[in-house]
Amino acid sequence: DDPAKLAAFQVRIDAGEKIEPKDWMPEGYRKTLIRQVGQHAHSEIVGQLPEGNWITRAPTLERKANLLAKVQDEAGHGLYLYCAAETLGVSRDEMTEMLLDGRMKYSSIFNYPTLTWADMGAVGWLVDGAAIMNQVPLQRTSYGPYARAMVRVCKEESFHQRQGFHIMMAMVNGNAEQKRMAQDALNRTWYPALMMFGPSDKDSVHSSQSMAWKIKINTNDELRQKFVDETVPQAEYLGLTIPDEGLTWNEETGHYDYTEPDWNEFFDVISGNGPCNVDRLSARQKAWDDGAWLRDAMTAHAAKKATRNLA
Ligand code: FAQ
């Protein structure tokens, strides 16, 4: 990239200007955004699977309607984000192929199973809770289409977080077995939720450049700490115990001290070896293969329409 153009670009970023699709941007900026926005889109789509698993088994009609609406919202977020990524010059088909052949990732969290109905509470409360913590600052990200997508997505995520918390409240106020299920779901979801924020800052390869370009607004550890600080009182309100014996309030820092996730497990999961990686990717592959006839039909229809318009 031309150094003068790079410098002028950085001036725009530092002044808080939004970068729009037709503006000049460094190749690295474009590449980083395609990676992050594309992975974010894939996460929303793959993220439907663990909850989709419980739609047919929701305990009441109301819970079923809520869960169905939430899962549909995630599909909407995915499509929205694919559109935002497409403005950077990559097609949705290319991104899907990169997901399926392992060149692109999706969030580690969706490689864990949802074993009981209480997991629907824990996912909404903690996974959507962590997603909001990460996405609220992204409303101020420097790339216009991504920032605007985040505004709408965040509104829906806060409804999701509340519906999850509401499930948890019902479970902890239920019988002893329901309360035990809620605690078990928290035990299994806590550390995978903390891992959603990415590796610790010292191992985060992209953070410093992404923050200089205001693609990211906070570091991974900053957001993780904020999530811990906000979530501990919520767990106390529910009468549940966070599965971390090292968790203590630190008067001096004004934050909770907590035990870091097992980073070996994190790197293992993001390299394809989590409990559900194979299932999740084969579900995506099947959907892609099963949808081929429809993509072909749509393309043929569009081509036919274009010739008709010409005639
Ligand atoms: N999972 O240098 P960094 C949702 C990778 S919310 C998998 O720190 P970066 C809503 C990273 O890609 C979930 N991989 O990377 C929902 C990189 O590898 P690469 C989605 C991860 O990008 C709720 C390497 O590790 N949210 O879906 C993860 O600066 C309920 C080094 O890491 C977003 O995507 C991880 N957790 O920071 C849906 C938010 N963490 O690509 C359904 C936007 C890191 O070089 C139900 N993304 N890696 O091969 C971001 O804010 C950032 O991309 C981070 C990672 C913070 C995730």
Side-chain angles (χ1 to χ4, degrees):
D1 287 321
D2 175 353
K5 278 189 173 173
L6 272 178
F9 180 80
Q10 194 62 48
V11 169
R12 292 192 63 193
I13 296 281
D14 295 344
E17 280 183 39
K18 290 275 177 267
I19 308 301
E20 296 299 338
K22 290 186 177 154
D23 296 351
W24 184 87
M25 61 186 80
E27 263 323 290
Y29 180 86
R30 184 187 300 279
K31 230 176 111 192
T32 301
L33 271 169
I34 290 176
R35 181 182 62 78
Q36 180 167 323
V37 181
Q39 290 187 175
H40 195 163
H42 294 322
S43 306
E44 301 280 359
I45 299 295
V46 177
Q48 295 177 91
L49 297 168
E51 287 172 293
N53 182 34
W54 282 91
I55 292 172
T56 55
R57 291 174 287 167
T60 67
L61 181 62
E62 195 190 353
R63 292 284 183 212
K64 183 176 176 129
N66 287 347
L67 186 61
L68 189 60
K70 178 195 190 287
V71 172
Q72 281 177 340
D73 286 351
E74 309 298 359
H77 298 173
L79 299 186
Y80 221 76
L81 285 161
Y82 280 129
C83 290
E86 281 185 321
T87 64
L88 293 154
V90 60
S91 72
R92 193 169 140 192
D93 286 7
E94 281 172 89
M95 286 183 278
T96 306
E97 277 156 13
M98 287 197 274
L99 169 75
L100 296 177
D101 70 20
R103 279 177 291 156
M104 280 183 95
K105 295 187 167 73
Y106 57 90
S107 181
S108 50
I109 186 74
F110 303 119
N111 291 308
Y112 292 86
T114 45
L115 303 178
T116 72
W117 172 254
D119 289 17
M120 296 304 96
V123 168
W125 172 36
L126 300 170
V127 176
D128 287 272
I132 297 170
M133 200 55 85
N134 166 278
Q135 288 167 16
V136 164
L138 290 177
Q139 295 177 96
R140 291 179 284 118
T141 193
S142 59
Y143 189 57
Y146 191 27
R148 291 188 287 274
M150 285 298 103
V151 174
R152 171 149 180 195
V153 167
C154 284
K155 285 194 181 132
E156 292 181 350
E157 296 292 19
S158 54
F159 153 72
H160 298 166
Q161 199 265 356
R162 277 154 199 241
Q163 73 89 35
F165 195 74
H166 198 251
I167 293 174
M168 291 309 266
M169 290 218 315
M171 303 284 295
V172 300
N173 290 317
N175 60 30
E177 176 57 12
Q178 286 169 315
K179 188 157 184 193
R180 192 199 60 76
M181 281 167 66
Q183 180 63 54
D184 171 61
L186 169 59
N187 292 350
R188 284 180 291 105
T189 314
W190 177 250
Y191 277 109
L194 291 193
M195 292 177 196
M196 288 173 69
F197 297 95
S200 67
D201 290 350
K202 65 176 173 14
D203 295 318
S204 171
V205 284
H206 302 293
S207 277
S208 62
Q209 182 58 74
S210 288
M211 287 176 74
W213 278 331
K214 294 191 187 158
I215 291 175
K216 275 168 93 165
I217 309 294
N218 303 92
T219 73
N220 300 352
D221 286 335
E222 278 168 13
L223 292 175
R224 190 168 11 252
Q225 181 70 59
K226 212 161 171 245
F227 175 75
V228 172
D229 290 347
E230 281 201 14
T231 309
V232 172
Q234 295 170 2
E236 279 166 6
Y237 181 82
L238 290 170
L240 296 175
T241 309
I242 298 224
D244 175 3
E245 287 180 5
L247 189 76
T248 45
W249 176 250
N250 184 326
E251 274 300 338
E252 262 172 49
T253 60
H255 295 289
Y256 283 94
D257 290 336
Y258 63 94
T259 311
E260 296 249 327
D262 175 352
W263 292 119
N264 290 333
E265 176 181 323
F266 170 78
F267 287 112
D268 219 30
V269 172
I270 69 170
S271 34
N273 302 319
C276 298
N277 295 60
V278 172
D279 276 7
R280 301 301 186 229
L281 273 183
S282 62
R284 292 301 298 124
Q285 183 72 57
K286 183 174 185 308
W288 184 241
D289 296 343
D290 290 353
W293 70 271
L294 183 63
R295 290 192 301 278
D296 290 348
M298 301 283 283
T299 313
H301 178 67
K304 208 162 140 190
K305 232 173 115 185
T307 31
R308 212 178 288 146
N309 289 346
L310 278 179

